[in-house]
Amino acid sequence: MGKQEETRKLIIESAFSLIYQNGFQGVGVREIAEKANLTIGAFFYHFPTKNHVGYAIIDEFLSKGIMERWILPLEGYENPIEGMIHTFKKTFDEWPDEFVSRGCPLNNLGQEMSAIDSEFQKKAKDLLSTWIQNTKKNLDLAKKQKILKANTDTRKLAEFIVTFQEATFAMGKVMNDRKVYDSLYVSFRDHLRSQCI
């Protein structure tokens, strides 16, 4: 990675950290530049506006995180359903205490910015759609392996799974209590296993 790519990555990571803590509208370009130990000019060299760094957070940072957290781990399981159950538990068991009250960064950005900027809405929608589609691929595999019931609508189940994953972050955030994760894990596990043969 060259110096320009490293600087751009540093800006995205610094912006993400501040935005996840304070919300998109609660952070200015000056704060992002200061956190990255850069000048404001260096920020604008890489991003024409603060919104553009927000778009990059979704496209490059959050999309990678979703793939690494929710999709790629499933390759290690012969049974995709059990893989999803274990991945859910592992994700919420390992979620840092200081992040419980912050929820899901994608959901936060989408909720805060979609009504203000249509590009945020489009990018959040596209990422959620990709997440659902990748989940569906694993459900299709489980159906082919005769793990899922033959009449399972894998698209609807994928939408449920992604919605439930996002809702678990949201409940933890509102309640500011990680015990919510344990309760919702049981519901998630039991629902997925009820769809199996």
Side-chain angles (χ1 to χ4, degrees):
M1 189 183 288
K3 177 135 179 72
Q4 287 193 5
E5 289 89 353
E6 284 179 10
T7 301
R8 188 175 185 283
K9 183 172 181 278
L10 178 61
I11 292 169
I12 292 170
E13 289 174 352
S14 298
F16 170 77
S17 175
L18 289 168
I19 290 165
Y20 188 39
Q21 184 171 348
N22 302 303
F24 187 83
Q25 295 177 86
V27 174
V29 169
R30 183 177 302 281
E31 293 167 272
I32 295 168
E34 284 175 3
K35 182 159 184 69
N37 202 24
L38 298 167
T39 64
I40 291 178
F43 175 95
F44 285 118
Y45 176 82
H46 292 278
F47 296 99
T49 68
K50 184 179 83 167
N51 282 22
H52 283 83
V53 79
Y55 307 153
I57 286 171
I58 294 174
D59 288 344
E60 301 168 35
F61 193 80
L62 296 180
S63 62
K64 182 173 181 280
I66 284 169
M67 287 300 292
E68 289 176 351
R69 179 174 300 116
W70 295 112
I71 304 302
L72 295 177
L74 302 181
E75 294 174 5
Y77 294 89
E78 287 184 22
N79 181 329
I81 302 303
E82 289 304 313
M84 289 177 191
I85 292 167
H86 290 132
T87 298
F88 184 100
K89 181 150 182 37
K90 183 175 189 295
T91 294
F92 289 104
D93 282 352
E94 294 178 355
W95 199 246
D97 288 342
E98 64 269 24
F99 290 176
V100 172
S101 65
R102 295 186 197 174
C104 170
L106 174 61
N107 195 23
N108 293 348
L109 261 179
Q111 292 288 330
E112 181 182 2
M113 297 303 296
S114 286
I116 299 169
D117 183 317
S118 62
E119 191 65 17
F120 271 102
Q121 194 275 333
K122 179 185 180 305
K123 288 184 178 295
K125 178 183 175 182
D126 288 349
L127 182 48
L128 281 169
S129 296
T130 299
W131 186 359
I132 290 166
Q133 188 56 38
N134 277 286
T135 302
K136 181 183 181 299
K137 283 181 190 172
N138 282 282
L139 294 172
D140 288 338
L141 177 61
K143 196 171 180 179
K144 185 178 177 183
Q145 294 171 324
K146 300 192 184 322
I147 294 166
L148 280 177
K149 293 173 182 173
N151 64 348
T152 302
D153 183 328
T154 56
R155 173 70 189 188
K156 287 181 180 173
L157 186 55
E159 289 171 350
F160 166 82
I161 288 167
V162 171
T163 301
F164 201 94
Q165 289 163 338
E166 284 285 65
T168 301
F169 281 116
M171 283 293 289
K173 176 180 180 177
V174 172
M175 303 297 285
N176 194 18
D177 185 352
R178 69 180 310 118
K179 288 193 203 105
V180 169
Y181 297 161
D182 296 329
S183 170
L184 291 175
Y185 160 71
V186 172
S187 298
F188 183 79
R189 179 198 67 198
D190 291 353
H191 182 73
L192 261 61
R193 286 182 178 164
S194 76
Q195 305 302 305
C196 296
I197 294 171

